[in-house]
Amino acid sequence: MNYFYEKKGEVFCESVALSKLASEFGTPLYVYSLAALQDHCQQYKTSFDSFPTEICYAVKANDNASILKEIFSLGFGADVVSQGELEKVLKVGLRATQVVYSGVGKSQREIERAVEVGVGVINVESVSELKLIQKVAQSKGRIVSINLRVNPNIDVKTNPYIATGLYQTKFGIADEALDELVPLLQNSSSVVLEGFACHIGSQILELKSFEQASLRILEIVQSFKSKGFPIQRVDMGGGLGIAYREGEVSPPISEYGKVMREHFKSTGLKLYLEPGRSIIGNAGVLLTEVIHTKVNREKHFTIVDAAMNDLIRPSLYDAYHSMGHVRTKNGPDCITDIVGPVCETGDFLGLGRTMVEPIPGDLLFIRSAGAYGFSMASNYNQRPRPAEVMVSDHKFWLIRKRESFETLWQQETL
Ligand SMILES: *Cc1c(COP(=O)(O)O)cnc(C)c1O
């Protein structure tokens, strides 16, 4: 289903024209389709309903409270990577037992809080962290359930900045180093090893990588079971990719489900997943207005009111987002760099794009901006972050106000 589509010469989100939202709320503006979000969640639920699965949405992909609330209301748990995310999901109403706490650098304060509220499981990423969790659990008289996050050394085909499953990245415990942990875990009364976790990267479009990781992690499970550990679950992380380019195909969630079920069906293990991008990425767009155009020698620039501070993926990962005019235009095509007002050469949203020549006042929309869009936004150049709007059929409502200049400075002291 396409929830952002063209009709009568302009682009709609569900039954609402994007131009209407721009005039009502201003630009830059994040617009989400509730039906798209629900559809993606439902696809996960249907693909895994015949299998004991806990789907824990990766909060970092998009942590807007309304979006979290919707996802949790559909029965999803949360994968959090900081105390801030933990506090937020609890505030939104999720039970702590439905939280998986991941992350490579949990501080003592964060671990104390996770143990206090009783998160479902902590994914441990180093020996040093394991020792800290044992210390905290002991001092609080609690027994903490953990997974070891392993680094299965799988080379996935994605941007190196978002590949996480190779030894050269900072994530997880190298699978060959796991045996060193055995004595530490066998003699522990405060920490119980109940599972293994991995997250091999993001924007993965080849299911083969997940198969390789599954096989590797099952070997590890076997070896630890034989040593007497009560292994009950495997957390395969997130990482399923989405289509960013016109004509690009991503593996359907149902296919991903089939592959996972096949590998884990006869194991008796409970499966945990931590999808982020594949839930919210293609449920959101970023709307922006053209401020100026100019030509330097032979290069054409379209300067828009959204910038790298609003959507950093193109600058940070050289990521491609498909984009176009909100209102269909006739006229000659031009090849143009879509850039923001921020004072950085790296501030671009798209380079060398072919489109009908934009003029000031035109509205453009940037697709697939729902994940790692607003959640990575900053105030660089003292730019207030955009507003966010949810659309459901003919209805739409603000889910985050545009920041004001006052909120930018309020934490500062003179
Ligand atoms: C980022 C992350 C995810 C989500 O990844 P997506 O590619 O958005 O699905 C899941 N688990 C962990 C540990 C992560 O760091």
Side-chain angles (χ1 to χ4, degrees), residues 5 102 106 110-111 130 138 203 260 277 290 347 379 394 412:
Y5 62 95
S102 305
K106 305 176 198 78
E110 290 182 304
I111 292 167
L130 176 61
Q138 245 156 31
Q203 186 52 18
M260 290 297 193
R277 189 188 310 270
V290 177
D347 176 28
N379 295 121
H394 289 91
E412 291 176 32

Side-chain angles (χ1 to χ4, degrees), residues 108-255:
Q108 177 158 345
R109 266 243 309 282
E110 290 182 304
I111 292 167
E112 282 168 356
R113 183 66 178 149
V115 172
E116 248 164 51
V117 302
V119 297
V121 57
I122 301 181
N123 284 348
V124 178
E125 298 220 16
S126 63
V127 179
S128 160
E129 188 189 325
L130 176 61
K131 289 180 177 161
L132 191 53
I133 295 170
Q134 284 175 325
K135 192 177 106 184
V136 170
Q138 245 156 31
S139 75
K140 291 189 181 300
R142 299 280 279 270
I143 296 169
V144 176
S145 171
I146 63 157
N147 294 332
L148 291 180
R149 175 167 173 183
V150 298
N151 183 332
N153 198 32
I154 287 168
D155 194 4
V156 299
K157 288 206 182 73
T158 187
N159 184 300
Y161 274 25
I162 51 176
T164 51
L166 274 175
Y167 289 154
Q168 69 216 41
T169 69
K170 68 181 176 182
F171 297 101
I173 302 167
D175 47 8
E176 56 195 19
L178 285 171
D179 281 343
E180 293 167 28
L181 295 179
V182 171
L184 209 57
L185 288 161
Q186 272 169 340
N187 302 322
S188 180
S189 53
S190 54
V191 160
V192 189
L193 173 66
E194 291 184 329
F196 285 88
C198 70
H199 170 71
I200 53 175
S202 204
Q203 186 52 18
I204 297 168
L205 294 171
E206 289 183 337
L207 293 177
K208 195 163 55 71
S209 304
F210 294 111
E211 296 194 55
Q212 287 170 348
S214 304
L215 292 173
R216 183 69 195 105
I217 214 162
L218 280 172
E219 281 171 18
I220 297 168
V221 166
Q222 270 323 317
S223 113
F224 272 72
K225 269 190 167 168
S226 68
K227 293 187 181 91
F229 288 99
I231 307 302
Q232 298 166 16
R233 62 177 170 251
V234 156
D235 178 346
M236 290 303 293
L240 185 62
I242 60 171
Y244 278 101
R245 290 170 188 267
E246 302 85 355
E248 190 172 41
V249 274
S250 57
I253 294 168
S254 56
E255 279 302 306

